[in-house]
Amino acid sequence: MKAVRQQAIVHLLSQHQSLTTDALAALLNVSKETIRRDLSALQSQGKVLRSHGRAKSIRRENGDNGDPFSLRLKSHYAHKADIARKALGWIENGMVIALDASSTCWYLARQLPDIDIQVFTNSQPICQALGKREHIQLICSGGTLERKHRCYVNPSLISQLKTLEIDLFIFSCEGIDRHGALWDSSVFNAEYKSVLLSRAAQSLLLIDKSKFNRSGEARLGHLDEVTSIVSDVSAR
């Protein structure tokens, strides 16, 4: 019965792309608690994504199933700001750091002291946040602006990074599945993070508890490649 119901949930989400927990409970004539348990199981299997009281199907052939940046800013914002604050201890004068276009890194950028560091990023909001700092040397990846995620997509990223020695790559991701694989919501963001993860001397993953045991559209790496994690739960 449970397997049939969960298959029905996957089918409904593939038809509607996104449905609320209430809607799924009504459509399948079960309680919201039952739907929540089913969605947790399906998310851990990498079949659906849960957020903001609703669920959506994962469509890896589309290459982008992520929420807009404006919506991600509001999700678990208190936890993200606290995680970002803890990450500040990793940053020292003279470092070259890279930041991804995640909302958690945006919270980090807002809290960064105006010290003598270089910051490389593909994030438009982070560029705006750091643009007025006098001592931070800001390096933007440039490229085509992807408005939904507020990031720049640059196919010349690898050649651009040849002149930079990245001391620390700070990033977040869509999820970590039960096997330790790191996932993101779009192919272009996953590619950016994969390149920086392989080239940086150290890496720091900022991730809140909602991201564990879930997957996404594009695999960017594995937990074994990450130097350390800052989270609101213990991941290791």
Side-chain angles (χ1 to χ4, degrees):
M1 182 69 178
K2 181 171 68 173
V4 173
R5 187 177 61 248
Q6 291 181 359
Q7 186 176 3
I9 290 173
V10 173
H11 178 68
L12 284 168
L13 291 175
S14 69
Q15 288 183 314
H16 298 275
Q17 294 191 23
S18 175
L19 287 169
T20 65
T21 304
D22 289 344
L24 285 166
L27 286 167
L28 296 174
N29 195 29
V30 295
S31 69
K32 288 186 288 185
E33 289 72 21
T34 296
I35 291 296
R36 291 191 186 102
R37 287 195 295 269
D38 285 339
L39 291 176
S40 293
L42 290 169
Q43 180 169 266
S44 68
Q45 296 167 28
K47 295 180 179 179
V48 305
L49 287 176
R50 300 175 68 191
S51 62
H52 320 298
R54 61 193 308 116
K56 56 188 175 183
S57 62
I58 293 179
R59 297 168 180 257
R60 292 198 168 96
E61 70 276 8
N62 293 343
D64 180 10
N65 199 49
D67 291 327
F69 180 80
S70 57
L71 188 58
R72 287 186 282 120
L73 274 182
K74 302 174 184 177
S75 173
H76 303 277
Y77 64 90
H79 296 287
K80 291 177 180 178
D82 186 53
I83 289 168
R85 192 176 302 111
K86 294 176 183 177
L88 291 175
W90 282 71
I91 301 171
E92 300 176 353
N93 267 301
M95 291 183 72
V96 179
I97 68 171
L99 302 176
D100 73 351
S102 64
S103 56
T104 309
C105 277
W106 180 80
Y107 283 109
L108 172 65
R110 291 185 67 196
Q111 299 177 64
L112 264 180
D114 192 8
I115 59 176
D116 181 23
I117 57 174
Q118 293 184 56
V119 177
F120 177 83
T121 186
N122 66 333
S123 166
Q124 183 197 40
I126 289 177
C127 286
Q128 292 173 336
L130 298 181
K132 294 183 180 180
R133 308 287 177 87
E134 294 183 2
H135 298 99
I136 294 177
Q137 182 180 344
L138 179 61
I139 308 169
C140 178
S141 68
T144 303
L145 177 62
E146 211 294 324
R147 288 182 171 83
K148 176 182 176 182
H149 297 283
R150 302 282 298 278
C151 69
Y152 296 100
V153 181
N154 190 342
S156 303
L157 179 65
I158 294 178
S159 61
Q160 186 180 22
L161 288 171
K162 286 180 179 178
T163 59
L164 281 178
E165 294 291 335
I166 306 295
D167 297 309
L168 177 64
F169 174 43
I170 305 176
F171 71 107
S172 187
C173 64
E174 182 69 26
I176 304 174
D177 69 20
R178 55 186 173 178
H179 304 295
L182 306 177
W183 294 86
D184 214 83
S185 59
S186 64
V187 171
F188 46 83
N189 267 323
E191 289 176 347
Y192 173 87
K193 297 175 189 186
S194 181
V195 169
L196 268 298
L197 189 59
S198 65
R199 298 182 70 90
Q202 294 189 92
S203 56
L204 186 62
L205 174 60
L206 313 183
I207 190 161
D208 67 78
K209 60 186 177 183
S210 70
K211 304 293 184 66
F212 290 99
N213 294 316
R214 63 187 288 180
S215 60
E217 294 293 340
R219 191 180 187 277
L220 67 96
H222 193 273
L223 203 54
D224 290 341
E225 302 171 67
V226 178
T227 305
S228 192
I229 296 173
V230 178
S231 181
D232 49 356
V233 295
S234 177
R236 288 178 168 170

